[in-house]
Amino acid sequence: MEQFDVRGQRLAALCLLGLVLFSYPVLAVFNVQGTVAGIPVLYAYFFVAWGALIGLIALVIERPD
Amino acid sequence: MATARKVLIADDEPNIVTSLEFLMRSCGYEVRVARDGEEALRLAEGFQPDVLLLDVMMPLCDGFEVCRRIRGNAAMRAVRILMLTAHGRGPQVERGLALGADVCLSKPFSNQDLIARVRGLLPPSP
Amino acid sequence: MLVPWVIIFVSFAYLGLLFAIAYYADQRADAGRSVIASPYIYSLSLAVYATAWTFYGSVGRAAENGVGFLPIYIGPTLMIALWWIVMRKILRISKQNRITSLADFIASRYGKSALLGGVVTVIAVIGILPYISLQLKAVSASFTTVLQYPEIVVPASVGAAPLLGDTALWVALILAAFTILFGTRHLDAAEHHEGMVAAIAFESLVKLVAFLAVGVWVSWGLYSGFGDIFARVAANADLQPMLAPFGGVGGDYSSWIWLTILSMFAIMFLPRQFQVTVIENKDEGHLRKAIWLFPLYMLAINVFVLPIAFGGLLHFPGGADADSFVLTLPMSQKQELLALVVFIGGLSAATGMVIVETIALSTMVCNDLVMPVLLRMRALRLNERRDLTGLLLGIRRGAIVLILLLGYLYFKIAGEAYALVSIGLISFAAVAQFAPAALGGIFWKGGTRRGALAGLVSGFAVWFYTLLLPAFARSEWLPLGLLEHGPFGIELLRPLALFGVSGLDQITHAMVWSMLANAGAYVAVSLSRAPGVDEHRQATLFVDVFRRPAGSSGERLWRGTASAADLFNLLARFVGLRAAGEAFADYARLRGVERPEAQREADADLVHFVEKQLAGVIGAASAHIMLATVTKEEALTLDEVRAVLDEASQIVVYSHRLEQKSQELERATRELRAANERLTELDRMKDEFVSTVSHELRTPLTAIRSFTEILHDHPQLPAAERERFLGIVIKETERLTRLISQVLDVSRLESGRMEWHESLIDMREVIEDTAASTSQLFREREVRLERSLPARVPRVKADLDRIVQVVVNLLSNAVKFIEPGRGRVEIALEEEGGFLRVNVRDNGPGVPREHQDLIFEKFRQAGDRLTGKPQGSGLGLYISRRIVEHSGGRLWVESRPGEGACFSFTLPLVDEAALGKAALGKAA
């Protein structure tokens, strides 16, 4: 199991994706008033993005070799 | 009358001894034969040859050892040693010369050559 | 329900339950049936990350600025995605090197440096004190709050409520006792605390359930769902900005990013996280599930933070303490059971943190701080003590109590200066200082001990100056002027705005400067001087861990000697007799060694094994020292121990390694020399052969030449002599020819280029033929040849010419030494077993025992020296034996001196029937 195998690379990419998703440019987009399904946009974005990220991580990790 | 020159032949090969003996005798020298190193030393001391024809390969005590012992013995200082080696140059020759042999002759030798060398080694006739 | 005695009773019952779980898990672990060997338990145990901070503080922070609580969980999520690369490496390294703690990890990487281990320990302890005080504060505050029921009174400050202060002390002492019970009942060689892991996995569930419970209740019990809460917030002018908090009350983006990064380091380097993620890990494979389960847990426990926070803000307008919303909201609605559950949840979160953190810290204090110093102190004569387990446990217990008391002290001094979250972030920033040295250490071989030291010290200094100092100043233990005008009035060095960089929030400011100093010093100093031999070896072990097969250790050489008994006693002093015995039994089983403890001189493997076991208990650096003293031959004195530990002794150890290296080199040279000698020997033998052959050839040549010349030069030679000489020439020519062909045979045999023409031969015929061909020789020597042959014999498969050669050789040998006239040679043929056997018996002088093997060698002849040199080359028997052996037989001699000799050889019989069938089969 070489450490930098495809899985590791994909996960590193996801980490980078997360950093981008939760950084200034993107967050600024959602930093507005308003709600979606009753939940403020920003907070909805946070949890949805976070959940999606976890889901992607799980997908990459649990795929059989 | 000049004293006959004395030649001692030390070799274990009977045929070679025969040929050497013939050659030396036909030169008029008095010849003795030793078949091994120990006998060679004994006869050298007793017979006091002028020239010793010394083969390298001999049982009991090889030619080098004989040469060394003779040269280490002041009483046999006058003996001239002609060593018969297997090679013309190289370690055998060097060793022989280092141990005190006067001449190293490689086998097979030419009879003329041998006779000439022996003659050269003998002290000049008085 | 919320009456004091109920609360206390339930609290202790809960703690008791935790202890029972831990005890049970430990028992199962001892029996070899671990309960925690599950990725789910592993993932839950990682959730010890969520402490009272999460439980109470997140809501507090959310109520303050809306989103400021999130980076602390998003950061770890992102970092954990990288764990597949980073954490797997750390796990592998730690397993291989039996790392027992974070300090051990860093110390081990940089050449097993005791100094570095000590520095890391000090930084960790000081850095975590705020965090511990936070837990104490949370527990005592929640306890006090709940006690006020049905009144909602939140203690405003520590000093104002002595009850609160005393509660914190009690909490600290109870937690200390609890932790001691939990983690220091015995020493485990690998620092595993299975009971603790089981207990905190359980409490992770408890706190999650509790938080979800209150979250659900607030959202759907108190209000009518998320939409309801947020709508009300949107309608509230004061609260509305919180819905888009960035740029306003939420702070700016940069601090968000820095918090995220900070948390990414925290999830790695908080001592408790390192403990559960790395040290307690049972299986690298568990990492897979943990990588997404743990973030999922964090997501779950944060889902309701905002609803609770906003719910609380809506419910308690006027700034009640938001940290306690999770408690005060149910209390305000008379939800006593829920409040109790929440209280237990908070207690659970806090105790989990305290237990794991203090156990991890006490291990570091014992192994990496106290023991190295004690080992140095001559007066203690530690190495002579028989059993050190008591001492080790005592040090750890003392450390636990001390750390908790210090946490309490911090709480008293600076606890009220900040809200919970801010206190926690100070600790985060402290452990973040380990990041350059640790992460650099596993990826960059160039990182040196000095670099790590420089980085750690600078980073810690900046941290102290920018975070801890202001906390003391704010609590008025230091003059506030320090903050406003800088030390001695130097404005550029203001702790909160170093070098004029203001406008960052305090944590970000501290992070920026400390990371700059830390990473900068680490890289610069590492590059300024090459790593030492020790460091380089350790660096390779760490960085290249995946390139080495699992389970291989670094060096196999060890200088010095120790008896296995010494090693056993050394190990037993630290882990006890029973554990040492088990360890040795494991070793015996693993290596297939019978009784390792009986080795007079322990081999390097055993020494290494013991060192690893020892490292698991007292850390790599101390184990190294202990081994180094034991394996010296002289009676060890602490002088030598100190010499090893001294800074200058680093050089001693360094040259120690150099000597090992040169010994390796010596050994390699010796082996090379031996090989060279063998080659030279072979070469010499070949030269000898060549020179012997050359000599042997010259002898007949000399005779031939000499006599030919004589015959040529002396035409008057008498006929008799002439004939004699010619005869000699002829004989010598024959001899020469024979010798040449024999030498050629030998050469062909040796190089494998011999041509064999095999056929089916009848030995009777062979013997008859050779008898005929040698009859001349027998007549000359007056030796009688008798034949004893059966009527018919089966045929054998061999090379006819060669076998003839063998028989001729044997017959002529037989004749050679016999006295003429009375000699008798008998040649017999018989079947024996699956072989045909030929015996050539003579009544000559026989062969002495010591020559019986010799005569079959090249150029060796038997013969009485005094009777003259025997004719022949000495190669005949050698060739004959090779021929016979090639055909599948044997050639040997039986003889007693004076009683003649019998040379025998065998040849395997051929099954002609089978051959015929096979031939038919082929033809068909």
Side-chain angles (χ1 to χ4, degrees):
Chain A
M1 266 198 299
E2 173 52 54
Q3 36 176 151
F4 293 110
D5 59 0
V6 176
R7 198 181 311 209
Q9 291 171 19
R10 287 195 181 135
L11 288 167
L14 283 178
C15 170
L16 279 175
L17 176 67
L19 277 171
V20 167
L21 283 181
F22 290 104
S23 67
Y24 165 62
V26 179
L27 286 179
V29 168
F30 292 94
N31 188 33
V32 292
Q33 294 282 347
T35 67
V36 51
I39 303 174
V41 168
L42 186 64
Y43 302 133
Y45 169 71
F46 268 128
F47 283 92
V48 166
W50 191 6
L53 203 59
I54 296 179
L56 284 173
I57 290 174
L59 206 65
V60 170
I61 266 267
E62 293 289 3
R63 251 165 102 179
D65 274 325
Chain B
M1 173 167 156
T3 350
R5 303 299 188 200
K6 294 189 279 187
V7 174
L8 174 61
I9 300 175
D11 197 324
D12 61 337
E13 272 287 336
N15 290 338
I16 297 195
V17 163
T18 309
S19 70
L20 287 174
E21 232 184 327
F22 178 85
L23 286 172
M24 294 295 103
R25 289 243 164 80
S26 60
C27 286
Y29 305 136
E30 194 183 329
V31 176
R32 287 282 155 82
V33 170
R35 306 260 171 196
D36 63 68
E38 307 251 305
E39 200 182 350
L41 284 167
R42 265 184 295 121
L43 283 179
E45 236 181 315
F47 181 52
Q48 288 281 329
D50 297 300
V51 176
L52 167 60
L53 295 181
L54 185 56
D55 182 31
V56 167
M57 296 283 224
M58 277 191 296
L60 288 185
C61 192
D62 73 10
F64 293 122
E65 186 60 24
V66 171
C67 188
R68 203 175 59 80
R69 296 248 274 259
I70 288 181
R71 281 291 169 252
N73 190 334
M76 295 193 273
R77 234 180 331 133
V79 176
R80 294 273 158 267
I81 299 182
L82 191 153
M83 237 181 186
L84 296 166
T85 58
H87 308 279
R89 284 179 297 175
Q92 278 203 346
V93 172
E94 278 168 27
R95 195 167 164 209
L97 291 174
L99 285 170
D102 296 284
V103 175
C104 286
L105 200 59
S106 76
K107 297 192 278 195
F109 46 80
S110 112
N111 294 351
Q112 305 283 13
D113 212 5
L114 178 74
I115 293 171
R117 299 292 196 131
V118 170
R119 216 169 262 156
L121 282 176
L122 289 170
S125 334
Chain C
M1 193 179 301
L2 287 185
V3 285
W5 71 265
V6 170
I7 299 170
I8 294 178
F9 175 74
V10 172
S11 304
F12 276 102
Y14 176 70
L15 291 180
L17 176 62
L18 280 184
F19 186 76
I21 292 175
Y23 190 77
Y24 172 69
D26 272 333
Q27 296 295 89
R28 287 281 297 258
D30 281 341
R33 292 185 349 255
S34 165
V35 289
I36 68 166
S38 143
Y40 299 102
I41 305 266
Y42 179 66
S43 310
L44 276 177
S45 72
L46 298 184
V48 74
Y49 181 67
T51 69
W53 167 351
T54 308
F55 210 81
Y56 295 111
S58 287
V59 171
R61 184 91 156 178
E64 208 183 299
N65 60 22
V67 290
F69 70 98
L70 270 179
I72 297 159
Y73 307 99
I74 298 205
T77 305
L78 299 180
M79 187 53 156
I80 291 173
L82 291 180
W83 270 9
W84 189 248
I85 298 171
V86 175
M87 189 49 77
R88 261 198 312 140
K89 193 164 193 180
I90 294 181
L91 278 177
R92 184 71 60 89
I93 291 170
S94 305
K95 290 256 184 316
Q96 270 188 16
N97 294 279
R98 305 219 79 187
I99 301 292
T100 59
S101 69
L102 180 59
D104 201 17
F105 184 81
I106 294 180
S108 189
R109 160 62 178 82
Y110 294 102
K112 300 194 189 175
S113 159
L115 177 64
L116 204 48
V119 167
V120 169
T121 305
V122 166
I123 294 178
V125 169
I126 296 180
I128 297 296
L129 287 181
Y131 211 152
I132 291 182
S133 75
L134 183 169
Q135 311 300 317
L136 296 177
K137 175 172 178 175
V139 171
S140 27
S142 63
F143 183 69
T144 321
T145 306
V146 130
L147 271 187
Q148 311 290 344
Y149 184 76
E151 297 195 25
I152 313 289
V153 173
V154 178
S157 73
V158 170
L163 178 66
L164 178 60
D166 286 345
T167 312
L169 182 59
W170 278 111
V171 171
L173 291 174
I174 292 173
L175 282 179
F178 200 50
T179 308
I180 288 176
L181 276 177
F182 245 93
T184 57
R185 284 199 318 277
H186 55 86
L187 279 180
D188 182 285
E191 292 296 348
H192 285 161
H193 305 86
E194 297 223 358
M196 177 189 80
V197 172
I200 61 172
F202 176 71
E203 70 92 2
S204 292
L205 274 178
V206 168
K207 66 193 175 204
L208 179 65
V209 165
F211 201 85
L212 288 177
V214 68
V216 163
W217 175 79
V218 167
S219 305
W220 289 284
L222 196 54
Y223 295 93
S224 325
F226 288 169
D228 185 21
I229 300 178
F230 289 119
R232 291 192 202 205
V233 167
N236 184 317
D238 289 328
L239 299 179
Q240 203 228 16
M242 301 216 32
L243 294 182
F246 277 114
V249 62
D252 51 58
Y253 296 99
S254 72
S255 45
W256 217 88
I257 287 285
W258 275 103
L259 271 182
T260 310
I261 296 175
L262 187 56
S263 314
M264 284 171 79
F265 291 148
I267 195 71
M268 300 279 298
F269 301 113
L270 282 169
R272 71 178 186 277
Q273 293 304 128
F274 198 85
Q275 181 76 23
V276 295
T277 318
V278 179
I279 316 286
E280 303 287 349
N281 172 271
K282 290 200 76 73
D283 183 350
E284 263 183 42
H286 289 172
L287 206 56
R288 216 181 257 222
K289 284 258 184 317
I291 286 183
W292 59 272
L293 269 181
F294 179 35
L296 195 61
Y297 178 101
M298 287 193 283
L299 181 78
I301 207 168
N302 277 295
V303 166
F304 288 106
V305 168
L306 279 167
I308 297 176
F310 286 149
L313 284 172
L314 289 169
H315 198 79
F316 297 114
D321 178 19
D323 278 344
S324 56
F325 277 173
V326 279
L327 258 186
T328 51
L329 276 175
M331 279 169 65
S332 69
Q333 301 300 110
K334 310 284 189 255
Q335 296 288 334
E336 297 185 21
L337 182 60
L338 185 58
L340 190 59
V341 167
V342 167
F343 173 74
I344 295 295
L347 178 68
S348 192
T351 46
M353 182 278 183
V354 167
I355 289 171
V356 183
E357 202 79 73
T358 40
I359 287 178
L361 284 175
S362 70
T363 306
M364 285 200 268
V365 166
C366 173
N367 290 354
D368 299 280
L369 193 58
V370 176
M371 281 306 289
V373 170
L374 287 187
L375 282 175
R376 262 181 146 158
M377 284 166 62
R378 202 191 308 226
L380 292 181
R381 298 211 290 276
L382 264 189
N383 54 299
E384 294 176 20
R385 298 256 295 254
R386 307 225 85 230
D387 180 17
L388 285 166
T389 49
L391 178 67
L392 288 175
L393 283 176
I395 294 176
R396 289 182 193 197
R397 290 172 184 158
I400 289 173
V401 173
L402 188 67
I403 290 171
L404 276 164
L405 284 180
L406 281 175
Y408 169 70
L409 216 60
Y410 183 90
F411 166 63
K412 288 290 275 188
I413 295 175
E416 57 174 309
Y418 299 115
L420 285 180
V421 168
S422 310
I423 301 177
L425 288 178
I426 294 178
S427 289
F428 270 27
V431 298
Q433 304 308 319
F434 298 136
L439 291 177
I442 63 175
F443 287 115
W444 183 39
K445 283 191 219 178
T448 69
R449 187 176 57 88
R450 290 162 169 270
L453 262 174
L456 279 174
V457 168
S458 350
F460 182 67
V462 172
W463 172 85
F464 192 89
Y465 189 68
T466 54
L467 283 181
L468 219 53
L469 227 53
F472 292 141
R474 291 239 175 86
S475 309
E476 282 157 30
W477 285 81
L478 285 175
L480 256 174
L482 187 65
L483 293 181
E484 284 168 35
H485 304 295
F488 316 113
I490 306 175
E491 290 239 341
L492 268 186
L493 292 181
R494 271 178 302 152
L496 293 178
L498 276 179
F499 303 110
V501 176
S502 58
L504 293 175
D505 78 275
Q506 187 178 8
I507 296 288
T508 310
H509 173 263
M511 268 299 289
V512 168
W513 286 114
S514 62
M515 278 296 121
L516 204 61
N518 191 333
Y522 176 61
V523 171
V525 175
S526 291
L527 287 177
S528 73
R529 195 196 280 216
V533 177
D534 255 353
E535 295 179 63
H536 189 75
R537 180 174 39 87
Q538 291 297 104
T540 312
L541 269 186
F542 274 54
V543 176
D544 288 343
V545 72
F546 281 122
R547 295 216 205 111
R548 311 166 51 80
S552 71
S553 72
E555 40 155 343
R556 295 236 152 248
L557 283 189
W558 189 274
R559 192 182 78 126
T561 57
S563 76
D566 281 344
L567 292 176
F568 184 84
N569 289 334
L570 176 66
L571 187 60
R573 279 195 346 228
F574 287 95
V575 301
L577 273 175
R578 189 180 66 100
E582 283 173 9
F584 268 67
D586 279 341
Y587 177 81
R589 215 182 21 251
L590 277 175
R591 310 286 166 120
V593 175
E594 265 291 304
R595 279 173 22 93
E597 59 272 16
Q599 289 178 14
R600 195 95 60 85
E601 203 176 281
D603 60 24
D605 274 352
L606 185 59
V607 172
H608 261 301
F609 175 75
V610 171
E611 187 188 6
K612 283 227 165 118
Q613 297 292 317
L614 220 50
V617 178
I618 59 175
S622 303
H624 205 60
I625 297 164
M626 292 311 297
L627 257 298
T629 61
V630 165
T631 55
K632 290 218 183 207
E633 279 168 300
E634 305 85 36
L636 55 93
T637 65
L638 265 164
D639 261 336
E640 284 170 306
V641 177
R642 192 165 66 158
V644 171
L645 282 184
D646 218 18
E647 274 296 69
S649 83
Q650 293 284 348
I651 300 170
V652 172
V653 176
Y654 177 80
S655 67
H656 196 89
R657 296 281 164 264
L658 270 182
E659 199 177 329
Q660 278 188 10
K661 275 241 146 57
S662 77
Q663 282 201 339
E664 275 182 53
L665 253 141
E666 251 182 68
R667 198 186 58 184
T669 317
R670 257 183 283 131
E671 285 175 14
L672 269 170
R673 200 173 289 136
N676 194 41
E677 271 174 31
R678 283 196 294 272
L679 280 171
T680 319
E681 175 73 23
L682 285 170
D683 215 26
R684 195 180 56 77
M685 277 166 49
K686 192 197 65 164
D687 283 339
E688 230 181 78
F689 180 72
V690 166
S691 91
T692 313
V693 166
S694 133
H695 180 272
E696 293 293 327
L697 288 176
R698 283 169 196 268
T699 309
L701 276 175
T702 309
I704 292 171
R705 179 176 184 170
S706 189
F707 284 114
T708 317
E709 278 193 22
I710 290 176
L711 286 169
H712 176 268
D713 293 336
H714 298 253
Q716 313 316 69
L717 214 53
E721 263 197 303
R722 195 202 203 73
E723 279 209 33
R724 186 167 144 230
F725 288 169
L726 275 171
I728 292 178
V729 170
I730 293 170
K731 274 232 159 51
E732 290 296 317
T733 314
E734 283 174 1
R735 177 177 166 193
L736 186 62
T737 318
R738 228 183 3 253
L739 181 65
I740 289 177
S741 47
Q742 278 186 329
V743 169
L744 284 174
D745 277 349
V746 168
S747 153
R748 273 194 288 255
L749 279 170
E750 303 249 285
S751 67
R753 289 202 313 272
M754 183 71 113
E755 287 175 8
W756 302 93
H757 304 287
E758 295 197 337
S759 60
L760 293 172
I761 55 182
D762 185 341
M763 279 307 291
R764 284 179 36 114
E765 275 180 35
V766 168
I767 294 179
E768 295 285 359
D769 286 342
T770 51
S773 63
T774 52
S775 59
Q776 165 93 338
L777 179 62
F778 278 85
R779 263 206 307 281
E780 273 177 24
R781 294 296 208 115
E782 299 177 29
V783 177
R784 205 166 76 236
L785 175 63
E786 285 171 12
R787 294 185 281 274
S788 165
L789 312 168
R792 301 176 30 114
V793 283
R795 297 197 279 181
V796 291
K797 189 159 184 243
D799 185 320
L800 180 63
D801 289 331
R802 299 293 166 196
I803 298 297
V804 164
Q805 185 176 348
V806 170
V807 177
V808 166
N809 176 234
L810 293 180
L811 285 176
S812 47
N813 278 352
V815 167
K816 208 179 282 185
F817 298 102
I818 292 187
E819 268 180 53
R822 299 186 336 114
R824 217 188 86 234
V825 172
E826 182 203 348
I827 178 164
L829 180 62
E830 63 191 14
E831 263 184 77
E832 193 182 72
F835 290 85
L836 210 53
R837 180 167 158 167
V838 176
N839 298 321
V840 177
R841 207 181 301 270
D842 69 68
N843 62 353
V847 181
R849 170 144 290 230
E850 57 269 22
H851 290 163
Q852 284 179 11
D853 277 322
L854 218 56
I855 53 181
F856 290 101
E857 292 181 25
K858 282 182 276 199
F859 295 123
R860 289 278 200 244
Q861 295 173 301
D864 201 334
R865 284 269 162 85
L866 296 175
T867 60
K869 190 173 169 180
Q871 292 282 322
S873 63
L875 290 172
L877 278 175
Y878 173 80
I879 294 174
S880 296
R881 185 175 249 183
R882 290 292 292 254
I883 292 174
V884 167
E885 281 175 357
H886 176 89
S887 308
R890 270 180 57 220
L891 170 63
W892 71 98
V893 63
E894 284 158 17
S895 168
R896 273 208 287 262
E899 297 181 24
C902 176
F903 283 79
S904 311
F905 71 91
T906 56
L907 290 170
L909 286 172
V910 151
D911 185 352
E912 305 213 26
L915 258 189
K917 283 209 193 105
L920 280 176
K922 278 207 191 113

